[in-house]
Amino acid sequence: MSKSNDSFGKTVGVVLGLCLVCSLVVSGTAVALKPQQIQNKLQDKQKYILEAAGIAVEGGDVAGTYVKFIEPRVVNFDSGAYQNDIDPVLYDQRKAARDPDTSSKPNNDIASISRRADNGLVYLVKDEAGQVKTVILPVHGYGLWSTMYGFLSLSSDLNTIQAMVYYEQGETPGLGAEVENPRWKALWPNKVAFDNDGNVAIKVVKGGAKADDIHGVDGLSGATLTSNGVTNSLVFWLGAEGYGNFIAKARNGGLNNG
């Protein structure tokens, strides 16, 4: 009996030892790979920003192309002014939105975001002369199953849309997930975000927009709630509680100042 117990104890000891070693190896690998994972995530984000800007990656160098053409800035949503004391490279808008000290609950949460950070990122796309030709606004809002994150690209008039690029979403494959379909993304260029009275007018139209509808984009077939989510997110982020104050200030010459 003692030999049997010794054998069982040794077996358990070996198993526990192997588990401990494996756990240490996995933990160590995760820690070692974390910087590379963070870098890969950053490069993916830069890739989508460049896509929204309509800029081809030069020689496969995403980071180099990004630095050459894109200037990230932080703006205050309430004042619309640049926040020069906040480093846009280090600023985490999602994290800020989760902190009650750096965020607030929207009065009209049409996009179902729960909380909005006090400050937001914008990406200025500059030409060779250093003048802003495109402004990219990060937008997000709830669809059918998930919060969808994207980049809205506007011309320097802050009204003409150049691109709408979603980079993170969990909608139904073949339906709502078609927000990432190149054919649907191709419907956005040259649409107009605001009407003549300055109201947010861009919308995704169920059943398809009319040919002369400068504010309408065809809805996603079989994905009404996702389509509504896209419209709601744009109405919120282009409005007074989103980038509306920044847009108003930028139209008065604030894009290249501050």
Side-chain angles (χ1 to χ4, degrees), residues 25 32 41 44-45 53 84 131-132 140 147 155 173 187 215 246 254:
V25 170
K41 187 175 181 179
D44 281 342
K45 186 176 181 180
N84 295 323
Q131 295 299 301
V132 178
H140 67 276
T147 298
S155 298
L187 302 176
H215 304 297
F246 164 73

Side-chain angles (χ1 to χ4, degrees), residues 170-236:
E171 298 299 280
T172 307
L175 297 173
E178 291 296 286
V179 292
E180 295 191 44
N181 190 313
R183 290 193 298 274
W184 191 69
K185 290 191 289 187
L187 302 176
W188 288 85
N190 298 316
K191 293 296 181 178
V192 179
F194 299 91
D195 63 21
N196 292 333
D197 295 322
N199 300 310
V200 180
I202 188 68
K203 59 188 179 296
V204 179
V205 182
K206 181 179 180 180
K210 294 180 180 179
D212 60 349
D213 187 353
I214 61 173
H215 304 297
V217 176
D218 292 353
L220 297 163
S221 179
T224 300
L225 292 181
T226 301
S227 297
N228 291 343
V230 173
T231 297
N232 292 339
S233 66
L234 295 179
V235 169
F236 178 84

Side-chain angles (χ1 to χ4, degrees), residues 55-258:
I55 297 174
V57 176
E58 298 179 348
D61 184 2
V62 173
T65 306
Y66 176 88
V67 170
K68 181 178 179 180
F69 293 103
I70 310 296
E71 179 186 359
R73 299 291 298 269
V74 177
V75 301
N76 181 266
F77 285 120
D78 291 334
S79 68
Y82 291 125
Q83 300 297 96
N84 295 323
D85 59 336
I86 300 177
D87 186 342
V89 177
L90 300 178
Y91 181 64
D92 187 335
Q93 188 172 333
R94 291 197 200 184
K95 183 178 180 180
R98 294 192 296 268
D99 187 343
D101 292 332
T102 56
S103 67
S104 62
K105 292 185 177 181
N107 292 318
N108 181 20
D109 191 10
I110 188 174
S112 299
I113 61 172
S114 296
R115 301 192 70 87
R116 185 217 66 185
D118 296 334
N119 301 299
L121 286 161
V122 299
Y123 300 91
L124 308 181
V125 185
K126 297 191 173 184
D127 58 22
E128 298 292 343
Q131 295 299 301
V132 178
K133 64 176 185 178
T134 306
V135 178
I136 297 173
L137 307 177
V139 299
H140 67 276
Y142 206 78
L144 172 61
W145 303 111
S146 68
T147 298
M148 303 180 292
Y149 293 86
F151 294 115
L152 176 68
S153 176
L154 298 174
S155 298
S156 57
D157 64 0
L158 278 302
N159 196 17
T160 306
I161 295 174
Q162 289 192 355
M164 179 69 239
V165 177
Y166 278 98
Y167 64 92
E168 183 179 329
Q169 51 81 25
E171 298 299 280
T172 307
L175 297 173
E178 291 296 286
V179 292
E180 295 191 44
N181 190 313
R183 290 193 298 274
W184 191 69
K185 290 191 289 187
L187 302 176
W188 288 85
N190 298 316
K191 293 296 181 178
V192 179
F194 299 91
D195 63 21
N196 292 333
D197 295 322
N199 300 310
V200 180
I202 188 68
K203 59 188 179 296
V204 179
V205 182
K206 181 179 180 180
K210 294 180 180 179
D212 60 349
D213 187 353
I214 61 173
H215 304 297
V217 176
D218 292 353
L220 297 163
S221 179
T224 300
L225 292 181
T226 301
S227 297
N228 291 343
V230 173
T231 297
N232 292 339
S233 66
L234 295 179
V235 169
F236 178 84
W237 289 109
L238 291 173
E241 293 191 87
Y243 291 97
N245 293 317
F246 164 73
I247 290 172
K249 185 178 288 291
R251 284 176 177 167
N252 291 321
L255 270 181
N256 295 294
N257 299 308

